[in-house]
Amino acid sequence: HALGQSPDDNYRTWYEIFVYSFCDSNGDGIGDLAGVTSKLDYLQELGVGGIWLMPIHPSTSYHKYNVSDYYAIDPAYGTMEDFDTFLAECQKRDIHVILDLVVNHSGSENPWFKEAYAYLQQLGDAEPDVADCKYLDYYFFQKSSGDGYCNVTGTDWYYEARFNYDMPDLNLASAAVREEITSIMKFWLDKGVSGFRLDAAKEFYSGQPEMNKEVLSWIQQAAVSLKPDVYLVAEVWENFASITDYYRSGFMSIFDFAFGDYGGKIIQVLRGAGNAANVTSYAQALEKADKAYLEANPGYIDAPFLSNHDVGRIAGFVGR
């Protein structure tokens, strides 16, 4: 299939793991990579062929979507050696691993942001100069407030942070930021991961899908140049028409939100216990989606799902 994927890859069963709550190996009350490794035989028995890890990097939050260091493992989850062991054990079982790649924003404790923030605090009335602090170009700073902007304490500067004050938005048009993202992908691909899940792809430039599509297209190009058979899947939490439009970017795989969550087509079939009308509706929806996505991107790899960390658990959907 497209981009080096074999036909079987299109239908691999992926299992999302939030390490924090999955399995605690040392009794400290927090799940860790060693705990995940200890459950790989169980996951293999379930038929899992791929694992998507939510962020595992150092972070100040429990969910770790505000990344402080993209090249390290959060100490609560273990060490880089623990990750290497986990990956090696996955490879023994032919279980692929993709990592959450959070590039819409970094964490406010990331050294890139901390250096830029401190520079602006010390600037006084002088004009900022990227030559003095290259990380100014990594973010969006301005001298006026606005929707989604937060104040740099003690100054009249503001920075964009549409999710939260501790998640400053990255400037994805910056050549330096793109070089950094390429470096991050290379680091983990060289470790042996199979690819990445792109978080919050429709918020790269909120309300500007054409710019978002350009970023997705660039990320795919960069990733494929590093690993021809890389697998990438983007979170575009939108309706069917919007997802179809995003496929026109050429991006290989986008979560199919019309099929997931409590009201999605898959759960409707499961809750209907084989009701013919539900099954027929599901089949028709699959045909409609496949036709539209193929027209938008002939090399697309579908990514239907049951649930994820933003919605309820599957057990609560299917009932008794």
Side-chain angles (χ1 to χ4, degrees):
H1 199 68
L3 301 163
Q5 298 289 310
S6 72
D8 288 342
D9 286 346
N10 301 343
Y11 306 101
R12 179 181 298 137
T13 302
W14 290 91
Y15 189 98
E16 179 188 7
I17 292 180
F18 178 33
V19 176
Y20 192 99
S21 66
F22 187 74
C23 181
D24 174 15
S25 72
N26 58 12
D28 66 356
I30 297 174
D32 46 50
L33 289 167
V36 178
T37 303
S38 73
K39 297 296 183 181
L40 288 177
D41 285 342
Y42 159 71
L43 294 174
Q44 188 176 33
E45 289 173 6
L46 287 180
V48 171
I51 292 172
W52 153 29
L53 292 179
M54 284 175 59
I56 56 174
H57 311 303
S59 168
T60 59
S61 67
Y62 77 92
H63 52 71
K64 308 201 182 304
Y65 277 98
N66 54 337
V67 178
S68 300
D69 183 352
Y70 287 91
Y71 299 93
I73 303 294
D74 193 292
Y77 286 177
T79 64
M80 189 62 78
E81 289 71 25
D82 291 329
F83 178 79
D84 291 339
T85 298
F86 159 73
L87 199 58
E89 292 299 319
C90 285
Q91 291 168 346
K92 287 179 185 177
R93 295 164 175 80
D94 196 27
I95 295 175
H96 293 249
V97 176
I98 61 173
L99 302 182
D100 232 313
L101 185 63
V102 186
V103 293
N104 176 69
H105 49 263
S106 76
S108 58
E109 291 301 305
N110 191 296
W112 311 336
F113 184 72
K114 289 177 72 175
E115 186 170 325
Y117 194 95
Y119 174 82
L120 290 175
Q121 286 185 313
Q122 298 164 10
L123 188 63
D125 295 329
E127 286 296 314
D129 190 340
V130 175
D132 295 329
C133 179
K134 71 175 185 177
Y135 296 118
L136 289 174
D137 192 45
Y138 276 43
Y139 300 93
F140 296 98
F141 294 103
Q142 63 183 37
K143 274 201 167 183
S144 60
S145 185
D147 181 42
Y149 277 75
C150 301
N151 180 243
V152 176
T153 303
T155 77
D156 56 359
W157 286 95
Y158 294 82
Y159 63 93
E160 186 177 18
R162 294 191 176 272
F163 278 84
N164 201 37
Y165 75 93
D166 62 351
M167 296 180 177
D169 282 31
L170 285 166
N171 175 15
L172 295 172
S174 163
V177 170
R178 293 194 175 197
E179 182 178 346
E180 195 81 59
I181 292 170
T182 303
S183 175
I184 292 164
M185 290 194 294
K186 185 178 189 306
F187 179 86
W188 294 104
L189 290 170
D190 286 349
K191 283 275 183 186
V193 305
S194 293
F196 305 96
R197 177 257 188 185
L198 276 295
D199 177 61
K202 79 181 186 71
E203 304 303 334
F204 292 159
Y205 291 91
S206 297
Q208 301 183 67
E210 293 305 312
M211 295 178 71
N212 295 333
K213 287 189 288 183
E214 188 279 327
V215 175
L216 284 173
S217 181
W218 169 78
I219 288 175
Q220 176 166 294
Q221 181 181 3
V224 169
S225 73
L226 297 169
K227 178 179 169 62
D229 63 346
V230 70
Y231 177 63
L232 304 171
V233 58
E235 178 201 25
V236 178
W237 198 334
E238 277 285 6
N239 58 32
F240 168 71
S242 293
I243 291 171
T244 302
D245 181 55
Y246 269 86
Y247 267 125
R248 295 190 180 99
S249 69
F251 196 79
M252 67 177 73
S253 198
I254 301 171
F255 282 119
D256 206 337
F257 276 86
F259 287 85
D261 202 357
Y262 180 84
K265 290 290 185 182
I266 299 173
I267 295 300
Q268 287 178 15
V269 172
L270 293 175
R271 286 175 60 84
N275 178 279
N278 281 341
V279 174
T280 299
S281 174
Y282 175 58
Q284 291 171 339
L286 279 176
E287 290 181 343
K288 176 182 177 182
D290 185 55
K291 182 181 182 208
Y293 297 160
L294 278 173
E295 289 176 353
N297 177 7
Y300 96 98
I301 301 169
D302 199 11
F305 69 98
L306 290 170
S307 71
N308 65 19
H309 59 276
D310 287 317
V311 302
R313 291 179 176 269
I314 299 167
F317 296 165
V318 297
R320 297 183 179 177

